[in-house]
């Protein structure tokens, strides 16, 4: 089977096709149609299930989606396949995944692949563009277990981990892409930022996936990206948070969109987290009230 034609996750609005300046040549081939945006492709295309990703805790189906002659690979997570959780309402994880995409887009960082809600072969669910990973050896390492008690330059310490034969220091790269993600996770209150949710892509970017356990009104932040805990936010992050604060006002498009996906109490909690980050000017620190690192960490 030939590989599906890929479209860029940043394709955005299709360009306008200019009108011909003179009489059409009846023998000329018709102008090709502009490619649909990633969101249009995901939302309107015909969804075909190709297989299941069995390592996931909920139902995750690998699919292709085809629309107006264009195709792409995607992931489809039907609500019917969501495992109940004690601290999140049943059947809400798909909406939280889309809300995380909307927040990511509002930052301008584009950290979450295009994500939509739609009906599919197994009912209502989330559909997200598949990100082609970097070829082996092309992407720099983002997480590592190392010997010693201090990280090497270019790395940030997370904490010590028990490994076969002793203890190792868990570190992550001191990478601007991860630092932006740490800010986004603090805003959306991500309760499950594992190493396997970081996708270095062939285009040099790092994407983040699996945002079902986000936006809880209670503090749930659990992540492997604690290396900047307590450190001052970058000027870029402060500027982004200030824009988010304005975008979360009543009646603003972002707030209206989030109201379709999460509860009023959860929207109020997002505003409060943004305000607290701006007040302190620092990355959050673990509360100490529960394990700060998700398990398993990958």
């Amino acid at each position: 089977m030939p590989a599906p034609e890929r479209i860029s996750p940043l394709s955005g609005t299709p360009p306008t096709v200019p009108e011909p300046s003179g009489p059409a040549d009846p023998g000329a081939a018709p102008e090709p149609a502009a490619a649909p945006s990633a969101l249009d492709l995901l939302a309107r295309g015909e969804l075909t299930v190709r297989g299941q990703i069995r390592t996931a805790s909920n139902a995750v189906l690998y699919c292709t989606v085809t629309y107006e002659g264009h195709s792409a690979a995607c992931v489809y997570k039907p609500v019917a396949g969501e495992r109940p959780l004690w601290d999140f309402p049943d059947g809400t994880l798909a909406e939280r995944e889309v809300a995380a995409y909307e927040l990511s887009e509002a930052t301008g960082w584009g950290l979450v692949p295009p994500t939509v809600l739609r009906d599919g072969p197994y009912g209502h669910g989330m559909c997200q563009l598949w990100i082609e990973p970097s070829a082996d050896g092309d992407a720099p390492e983002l997480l590592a277990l190392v010997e010693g008690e201090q990280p090497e330059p270019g790395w940030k310490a997370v904490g010590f981990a028990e490994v076969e034969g002793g203890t190792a220091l868990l570190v992550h790269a001191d990478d601007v892409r991860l630092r932006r993600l740490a800010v986004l996770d603090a805003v959306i209150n991500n309760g499950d930022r594992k190493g396997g949710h970081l996708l270095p892509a062939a285009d040099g970017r790092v994407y983040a996936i699996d945002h079902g356990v986000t936006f809880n009104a209670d503090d749930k932040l659990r992540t492997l990206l604690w290396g900047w805990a307590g450190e001052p936010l970058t000027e870029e992050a402060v500027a982004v948070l200030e824009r988010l604060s304005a975008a979360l006002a009543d009646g603003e498009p972002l707030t209206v969109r989030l109201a379709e996906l999460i509860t009023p109490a959860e929207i109020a909690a997002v505003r409060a987290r943004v305000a607290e980050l701006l007040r302190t000017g620092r990355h959050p620190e673990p509360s100490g009230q529960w394990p700060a690192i998700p398990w398993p960490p990958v």
Side-chain angles (χ1 to χ4, degrees), residues 148-167:
E149 297 185 355
Q150 295 295 328
E152 295 291 328
W155 294 88
K156 306 291 287 188
V158 178
F160 291 98
E162 295 296 324
V163 296
E164 184 177 355
T167 301

Side-chain angles (χ1 to χ4, degrees), residues 240-255 274 278:
V240 165
L241 291 167
E242 289 173 342
R243 292 200 304 271
L244 274 183
S245 180
L248 288 164
D250 287 338
E252 289 296 320
L254 177 61
T255 307
V274 170
L278 287 171

